[in-house]
Amino acid sequence: METKVKSNGTAKKVNATVKKEVQKKLTEEAIGKAVTPEKLVVAKKPEINLDDRIQKFEKLRGLATQRERLTETLSELTKFNYNQDGSSSFHIRDSRNLEFKTTNTNLIKLVTTHLQSTLEQRKSEIEEQILKFEL
């Protein structure tokens, strides 16, 4: 920008040309003359490969299946009733048919409570992954 000196000796910036250009542009728009609008740059979405999209969908389906199984297991565990009269028993069997059995209701309650809290935590983790999932 250029500066001009007033008659009193102080320098003044010249803003008149900028103001006139803006006024001219607004006047032309108001009377209907064609003014070329500034072109907006639109960001293009990256194209997603069909195979990648299907693979992501399958992953989402797997998460949904895991959540469904956890919900069923939690429901069955909630229905489980361990009585104080010794009628409940807890069995664990491994691949070599070795077995652990107990009728201790305190131990059964401890195991089922821990199992239920673990399953609920895992279910909430899966639900969070599903909510954050993007196709």
Side-chain angles (χ1 to χ4, degrees), residues 79-108:
K79 292 175 189 174
F80 181 74
N81 186 13
Y82 39 89
N83 297 324
Q84 296 292 337
D85 62 0
S87 64
S88 300
S89 63
F90 182 74
H91 302 265
I92 301 174
R93 183 178 296 156
D94 68 1
S95 61
R96 294 177 285 162
N97 273 341
L98 295 175
E99 192 174 279
F100 170 78
K101 293 181 186 179
T102 186
T103 56
N104 184 337
T105 55
N106 291 329
L107 180 62
I108 293 171

Side-chain angles (χ1 to χ4, degrees), residues 5-40:
V5 178
K6 286 184 173 180
S7 58
N8 66 0
T10 60
K12 179 183 176 186
K13 292 182 181 178
V14 178
N15 289 334
T17 57
V18 174
K19 288 181 181 177
K20 285 183 181 178
E21 289 176 11
V22 171
Q23 285 177 345
K24 184 179 178 183
K25 189 174 182 181
L26 290 173
T27 305
E28 288 177 354
E29 287 178 0
I31 60 175
K33 286 189 178 178
V35 178
T36 56
E38 295 178 12
K39 294 182 179 178
L40 296 174

Side-chain angles (χ1 to χ4, degrees), residues 17-72:
T17 57
V18 174
K19 288 181 181 177
K20 285 183 181 178
E21 289 176 11
V22 171
Q23 285 177 345
K24 184 179 178 183
K25 189 174 182 181
L26 290 173
T27 305
E28 288 177 354
E29 287 178 0
I31 60 175
K33 286 189 178 178
V35 178
T36 56
E38 295 178 12
K39 294 182 179 178
L40 296 174
V41 178
V42 178
K44 243 186 173 181
K45 268 188 167 180
E47 292 185 24
I48 297 176
N49 185 336
L50 181 61
D51 291 333
D52 292 341
R53 191 171 178 98
I54 291 171
Q55 190 174 23
K56 286 183 178 183
F57 179 75
E58 291 298 326
K59 183 176 179 182
L60 181 61
R61 185 184 298 172
L63 288 171
T65 303
Q66 284 181 6
R67 182 192 173 278
E68 189 176 311
R69 275 189 270 144
L70 281 171
T71 303
E72 289 174 7

Side-chain angles (χ1 to χ4, degrees), residues 116-129:
Q116 187 170 11
S117 66
T118 303
L119 291 172
E120 286 173 350
Q121 180 182 1
R122 180 64 183 141
K123 181 182 169 191
S124 66
E125 289 173 3
I126 289 175
E127 288 173 345
E128 187 176 324
Q129 287 178 2

